[in-house]
């Protein structure tokens, strides 16, 4: 069965005209049916009084669709975006954050970059720097399997976007726009790229992401700039489109070239335009093999399939896991990982004892690659996470114990499923009886909430252990606990050879 396309709306500068925008959205949905998301680029807030916004903020009025917005482009509106990592501004209105990747439950991947370009340090709170752009490229472009993203959201236009294309009207794209955004678009190869700030509508002809006869065919990119909401010239500020996430599309269908496709505006004679020199190009790290066996008696490596590497002279090489933008305590290849706490390693995930655990068998399920939350995981990683959870339930049941699984996707750098889930912050709990609890986090959520509840007098009655830092033990004692857990868990390890 063909995947049903998502129906999305994109909007230019709202500038505080919330009623005009949302009334227009209601009219469109009444006529054409409901849309899944509204994506706003440019200035969401304006210089107008806050009375209209207060009605949405306090719940008197409500956006008719889940709305995602970019951050400030000037000092005046920085005050509305208190959390750089993103937060819920009002019901159905969410600030994505300064920069990052939003992956919906459908697999749709949206990369966002808030603010305007700044080449000076320190960077203002309403701007992005070359380092910001470089880190976004590094997060995605360093894997050999990377093909591009579905949608890129920026407020500024990319510089040079008009090259080889149709006229951009009064906007001179050789002088206007951000060269850093051009570089980002070159690397990320978005299928759709939306921008604003120039108070005009411009839908560029689609452009290629490959060099004809020199590179394999890739999907085309459509750049759309949108005007400001309620502009007197009635220029287009709302754009409706349907999209199937690229990871769900047939490869041949994805790379079909539109009849009006043009050359890439950011390339010159087959090379990237000099814009790329303004930020360091991401250096691809060498592929690492993380799948080693912790069973000292066997003393052999496990292939990427989880089977004995002797069984095949040419074992299938694993897909390179996603890489973090910086140091991460939980990425298995990172020097920050305390590997003596690792108790079991699968193909895509691993188990490690918690630092300062609530109990001697307080264990974490972690993906080997760098993922922030469950909703970002590929199907194969999700499958292994579920296997680990099921195996751990059997393990604890055999010992007359019960377990609780919880995840906090809020100010969390790397996914941690603790045993003792698009874009939005949340807290998720799964009980061994099958009940599942899900809470959307808005703001000021206690980071140690799950641990504090379990340590409370009503459950484990160890309130003095609610702070993991108060439960730390020596490395020697941690190694002893890890060896004991490995031995006890060995009969239940689904990753071991038959």
């Amino acid at each position: 069965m063909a995947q049903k396309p998502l129906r999305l709306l994109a909007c230019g500068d709202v500038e505080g005209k919330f009623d005009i925008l949302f009334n227009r959205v209601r009219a469109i949905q009444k006529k054409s049916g409901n849309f899944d998301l509204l994506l706003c680029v440019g200035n969401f807030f304006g210089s107008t009084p806050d009375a209209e916004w207060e009605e949405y903020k306090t719940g008197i009025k409500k956006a008719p669709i889940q709305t995602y917005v970019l951050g400030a482009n000037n000092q005046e509106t920085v005050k509305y975006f208190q959390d750089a990592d993103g937060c819920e501004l009002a019901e159905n209105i969410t600030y994505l954050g300064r920069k990052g990747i939003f992956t919906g439950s459908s697999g749709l991947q949206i990369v966002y970059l808030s603010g305007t370009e700044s080449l000076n340090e320190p960077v203002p709170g309403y701007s992005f720097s070359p380092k910001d752009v470089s880190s976004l490229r590094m997060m995605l472009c360093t894997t050999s399997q990377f093909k591009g993203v579905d949608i890129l959201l920026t407020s500024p236009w990319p510089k040079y976007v008009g090259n080889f294309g149709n006229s951009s009207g009064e906007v001179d794209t050789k002088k206007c726009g951000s060269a850093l955004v051009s570089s980002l678009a070159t690397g990320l190869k978005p299928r759709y790229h939306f921008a604003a700030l120039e108070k005009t509508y411009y839908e560029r002809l689609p452009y290629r992401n490959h060099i004809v006869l020199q590179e394999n065919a890739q999907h085309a990119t459509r750049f759309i700039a949108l005007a400001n909401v309620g502009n007197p010239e009635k220029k287009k500020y709302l754009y409706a489109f349907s999209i199937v996430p690229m990871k769900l599309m047939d490869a041949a269908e994805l790379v079909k070239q539109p009849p009006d496709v043009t050359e890439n505006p950011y390339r010159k004679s087959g090379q990237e335009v000099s814009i790329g020199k303004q930020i360091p190009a991401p250096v691809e790290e060498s592929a690492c093999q993380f799948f080693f066996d912790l069973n000292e008696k066997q003393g052999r490596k496990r292939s990427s399939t989880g089977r004995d590497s002797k069984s095949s002279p040419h074992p299938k090489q694993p897909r390179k896991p996603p890489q973090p933008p910086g140091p991460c305590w939980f990425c298995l290849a990172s020097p920050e990982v305390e590997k003596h706490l690792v108790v079991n390693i699968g193909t895509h995930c691993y188990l490690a004892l918690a630092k300062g655990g609530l109990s001697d068998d307080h264990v974490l399920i972690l993906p080997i690659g760098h993922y922030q939350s469950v909703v970002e995981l590929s199907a194969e990683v999700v499958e292994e996470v579920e296997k680990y959870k099921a195996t751990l339930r059997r393990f604890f049941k055999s010992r007359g114990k019960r377990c609780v699984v919880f995840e906090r996707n809020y100010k969390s750098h790397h996914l941690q499923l603790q045993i003792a889930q698009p874009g939005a912050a949340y807290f998720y709990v799964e009980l061994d009886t099958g009940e599942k609890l899900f809470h959307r986090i808005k703001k000021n959520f206690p980071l140690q909430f799950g641990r504090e509840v379990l340590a409370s007098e009503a459950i484990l009655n160890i309130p003095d252990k609610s702070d993991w830092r108060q439960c730390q033990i020596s490395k020697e004692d941690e190694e002893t606990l890890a060896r004991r857990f490995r031995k006890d868990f060995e009969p239940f390890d689904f990753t071991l050879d038959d």
Side-chain angles (χ1 to χ4, degrees):
M1 181 183 294
Q3 173 68 28
K4 184 179 179 181
L6 296 167
R7 304 180 72 228
L8 308 184
L9 290 168
C11 179
D13 305 271
V14 180
E15 297 182 334
K17 298 177 181 177
F18 309 113
D19 286 347
I20 294 177
L21 169 62
F22 293 133
N23 287 339
R24 177 63 178 152
V25 170
R26 288 187 185 93
I28 291 174
Q29 294 200 127
K30 184 176 181 180
K31 181 180 179 180
S32 305
N34 289 336
F35 284 76
D36 296 288
L37 295 176
L38 168 60
L39 308 172
C40 295
V41 294
N43 295 314
F44 188 67
F45 295 97
S47 56
T48 55
D50 287 343
E52 193 171 308
W53 171 243
E54 283 298 317
E55 293 183 306
Y56 288 90
K57 186 177 179 181
T58 59
I60 296 174
K61 293 181 179 179
K62 176 183 173 182
I65 184 174
Q66 183 61 57
T67 303
Y68 291 95
V69 310
L70 294 184
N73 297 296
N74 51 62
Q75 185 62 51
E76 184 181 5
T77 56
V78 168
K79 62 183 180 182
Y80 296 103
F81 307 96
Q82 297 297 319
D83 192 337
D85 295 326
C87 58
E88 194 165 47
L89 302 177
E91 188 173 1
N92 272 1
I93 304 177
T94 301
Y95 164 46
L96 286 166
R98 289 193 67 245
K99 69 177 187 294
I101 306 158
F102 171 88
T103 304
S105 58
S106 64
L108 185 76
Q109 195 169 52
I110 302 173
V111 174
Y112 54 91
L113 180 65
S114 292
T116 56
E117 176 182 307
S118 175
L119 301 178
N120 301 317
E121 294 287 349
V123 178
Y126 54 87
S127 296
F128 56 83
S129 68
K131 289 181 181 178
D132 291 322
V133 173
S134 182
S135 69
L136 272 176
R137 293 185 61 167
M138 183 73 75
M139 289 167 70
L140 288 162
C141 304
T142 54
T143 62
S144 59
Q145 287 78 21
F146 177 74
K147 297 178 180 179
V149 299
D150 291 304
I151 299 172
L152 173 62
L153 303 178
T154 64
S155 287
W157 289 30
K159 200 170 185 179
Y160 308 116
V161 70
N163 288 355
F164 315 124
N166 49 316
S167 172
S168 54
E170 65 270 27
V171 179
D172 185 350
T173 62
K174 289 183 173 63
K175 299 178 181 178
C176 169
S178 165
L180 291 178
V181 171
S182 304
S183 178
L184 185 63
T186 302
L188 297 187
K189 304 183 180 82
R191 294 164 65 198
Y192 285 89
H193 180 182
F194 295 98
L197 296 184
E198 299 301 327
K199 299 187 182 299
T200 192
Y201 168 69
Y202 172 50
E203 184 169 1
R204 191 201 184 280
L205 291 173
Y207 64 82
R208 298 185 187 93
N209 281 296
H210 64 278
I211 303 174
V212 178
L213 301 180
Q214 295 185 40
E215 298 175 334
N216 292 331
Q218 299 183 48
H219 60 270
T221 293
R222 290 169 168 82
F223 171 76
I224 296 122
L226 295 161
N228 49 310
V229 170
N231 65 86
E233 297 86 4
K234 296 186 177 181
K235 295 177 180 178
K236 188 170 184 175
Y237 64 82
L238 205 54
Y239 185 91
F241 66 109
S242 297
I243 185 171
V244 173
M246 65 189 307
K247 63 168 56 178
L248 302 179
M249 291 186 66
D250 176 76
E253 186 68 24
L254 178 64
V255 302
K256 280 185 177 179
Q257 301 296 295
D260 54 351
V261 69
T262 74
E263 293 299 320
N264 191 308
Y266 315 123
R267 291 181 182 269
K268 186 176 181 180
S269 301
Q271 300 296 321
E272 190 171 337
V273 185
S274 59
I275 53 175
K277 297 179 181 178
Q278 296 195 26
I279 65 171
V283 179
E284 184 165 353
E285 301 177 11
S286 57
C288 298
Q289 172 57 272
F290 306 127
F291 310 109
F292 53 91
D293 201 317
L294 288 165
N295 190 326
E296 297 175 1
K297 292 182 293 184
Q298 293 176 333
R300 55 184 169 80
K301 291 185 178 180
R302 180 187 299 141
S303 73
S304 62
T305 61
R307 298 295 177 186
D308 192 336
S309 58
K310 296 178 181 179
S311 63
S312 171
H314 302 291
K316 181 181 177 181
Q317 292 300 308
R319 180 183 301 172
K320 185 181 177 185
Q323 303 296 309
C328 178
W329 286 5
F330 301 105
C331 287
L332 196 52
S334 171
E336 281 77 18
V337 170
E338 299 197 42
K339 291 186 170 61
H340 66 282
L341 292 172
V342 176
V343 294
N344 191 266
I345 298 180
T347 304
H348 308 290
C349 306
Y350 71 99
L351 297 182
L353 290 184
K355 190 82 172 175
L358 283 167
S359 61
D360 290 350
D361 46 16
H362 182 169
V363 66
L364 313 178
I365 302 176
L366 304 113
I368 290 171
H370 185 80
Y371 300 91
Q372 184 174 337
S373 67
V374 164
V375 293
E376 293 183 4
L377 300 181
S378 64
E380 57 192 3
V381 183
V382 169
E383 182 180 4
E384 189 161 295
V385 167
E386 293 301 320
K387 284 184 177 180
Y388 262 125
K389 288 195 292 186
T391 304
L392 284 164
R393 289 190 191 101
R394 294 198 305 272
F395 168 70
F396 285 118
K397 186 176 181 180
S398 73
R399 303 171 71 83
K401 297 182 178 182
R402 300 183 61 186
C403 65
V404 175
V405 180
F406 67 89
E407 178 198 0
R408 185 197 77 239
N409 180 32
Y410 176 68
K411 296 187 177 180
S412 178
H413 193 48
H414 187 114
L415 165 62
Q416 309 158 48
L417 274 182
Q418 307 203 32
I419 310 293
Q421 130 188 275
Y426 60 80
F427 187 83
Y428 173 78
V429 180
E430 188 174 322
L431 305 180
D432 57 3
T433 53
E435 290 93 342
K436 299 178 182 180
L437 308 174
F438 179 85
H439 173 67
R440 281 284 303 277
I441 295 174
K442 295 185 178 180
K443 58 181 178 180
N444 301 327
F445 188 82
L447 299 184
Q448 298 298 323
F449 176 76
R451 185 185 180 103
E452 291 170 359
V453 170
L454 289 173
S456 68
E457 295 180 3
I459 301 180
L460 294 177
N461 194 22
I462 46 174
D464 55 318
K465 291 189 175 184
S466 60
D467 186 345
W468 70 272
R469 289 165 294 193
Q470 304 301 318
C471 303
Q472 293 188 78
I473 57 178
S474 68
K475 183 176 180 180
E476 291 74 16
D477 288 340
E478 289 177 337
E479 290 174 339
T480 298
L481 290 178
R483 284 195 297 270
R484 185 184 306 160
F485 189 96
R486 290 186 202 115
K487 181 180 179 181
D488 293 342
F489 187 65
E490 184 177 344
F492 297 86
D493 179 10
F494 72 89
T495 65
L496 291 179
D497 296 337
D498 295 329

